Amino acid sequence: MDTEKGLLIVLSGPSGVGKGTVRKRIFDDPHTSYKYSISMTTRDMREGEQDGVDYFFKSRNEFEQLIEQDAFIEYAEYVGNYYGTPVQYVKDTMNEGHDVFLEIEVEGAKQVRKKFPDALFIFLAPPSLDHLKERLIGRGTESSEKIQRRVDEARKEVEMMNLYDYVVVNDEVDLAKDRIQSIVEAEHLKRERIEAKYRKMLLEAKK
Amino acid sequence: MDTEKGLLIVLSGPSGVGKGTVRKRIFDDPHTSYKYSISMTTRDMREGEQDGVDYFFKSRNEFEQLIEQDAFIEYAEYVGNYYGTPVQYVKDTMNEGHDVFLEIEVEGAKQVRKKFPDALFIFLAPPSLDHLKERLIGRGTESSEKIQRRVDEARKEVEMMNLYDYVVVNDEVDLAKDRIQSIVEAEHLKRERIEAKYRKMLLEAKK
């Protein structure tokens, strides 16, 4: 096999940070060459949604059988419905040499880290975190209780970052998109990756 | 001190690969915010050159005194003239929070790696290396001697890459420039760097 294996790119972050919006902006860009891994769910299809485009829609029974067959990279239950990332599409697409993009919750990202330790993990951070300092010490008018709550919240978000390789602040959707694209481009240019490719060529040349 | 320290960016590669051209293109871009570290030399000033713009021009005696004072990050002698990177400008500029950009020879880059192990080392590779395979096995008409020479040359270039973090092929100057800018942007978004900044903010908030 000649094709270089694609990357697995995982975008995650606290809920409400705007992961879906950033992901859509990335895939609206005609230059984006990653493949989006469509999730599977047991929730009802909504007006305007299509099976195999927005989600793969499955019955609870089908989903649970797939769980038993270890067919998910990650899955979780939210408000009574299952959501998961089927492993087969991800593996096939990477083997074809394409980068695969997942946009998932923080809990799911933890599961992916275990199965794909070499994936590229990008944490999307709320802009409030970037202005933390001004918000916490810039003005002296806040109650200490309110400040403490913000410190605790921010600390939780900082703790979450730990398993990620990169942190992108979602201050502006287009900037966040550009940063993510730069990170992926740089990842492809890492010396280990490129040196390995050349060494393989040199070995083949000797045959 | 509040300012985050700047990065040291080192662009190097085999001689003749086009380092100077790529560097100029980067600094022609108005978005480039890195500072270029001007080299010091004992060679004569050429028509159109300015002291402190193209180089700092020094006498042989001055240069050797600076060597003794350990005032260079790296220096070397080429065709009877010294060339070197003064350490003071680099350190001051990084401490002010700016990224500093060096464009130097491979031997110099080795010296920098020892003094600044955390710098970002980018290897500019000749496009011929990228087409190595076609050139080596694609056509059957070449003499085995000629092929062997190409393999040896390519092997030397691949060995050189070893101390670098990233490899950028200089197939097109604008593409090489974009790749280098992506690498630097990604470096600023590494989790360790950003997490440390947030942790510092949180600590300060507790005071």
Side-chain angles (χ1 to χ4, degrees), chain A residues 40-158:
Chain A
M40 204 172 269
T41 186
T42 59
R43 80 153 164 73
D44 289 336
M45 205 189 296
R46 289 177 195 152
E47 180 119 11
E49 285 185 339
Q50 275 184 279
D51 189 25
V53 174
D54 299 284
Y55 283 98
F56 296 109
F57 293 94
K58 298 283 169 186
S59 72
R60 215 173 157 81
N61 195 17
E62 287 170 314
F63 202 104
E64 284 172 349
Q65 275 183 359
L66 289 166
I67 294 174
E68 268 174 47
Q69 291 161 25
D70 208 17
F72 292 104
I73 300 184
E74 57 86 28
Y75 74 93
E77 206 173 349
Y78 294 105
V79 247
N81 286 305
Y82 284 121
Y83 295 80
T85 303
V87 71
Q88 201 55 53
Y89 174 83
V90 170
K91 284 196 171 162
D92 290 350
T93 312
M94 285 169 72
N95 284 334
E96 285 161 16
H98 300 293
D99 296 342
V100 178
F101 190 96
L102 307 185
E103 176 241 308
I104 53 179
E105 300 300 323
V106 169
E107 278 311 307
K110 275 188 203 165
Q111 296 176 39
V112 179
R113 186 58 127 179
K114 278 178 203 148
K115 294 193 183 167
F116 291 85
D118 293 339
L120 186 60
F121 286 82
I122 304 172
F123 186 85
L124 195 66
S128 60
L129 203 52
D130 219 28
H131 299 296
L132 191 62
K133 206 164 150 185
E134 294 117 76
R135 287 170 58 226
L136 294 179
I137 54 173
R139 17 180 196 175
T141 54
E142 309 276 4
S143 73
S144 64
E145 208 177 300
K146 203 167 178 181
I147 292 180
Q148 193 53 50
R149 217 163 39 232
R150 284 182 182 166
V151 171
D152 291 345
E153 201 180 281
R155 177 161 296 127
K156 241 192 293 178
E157 285 163 351
V158 173

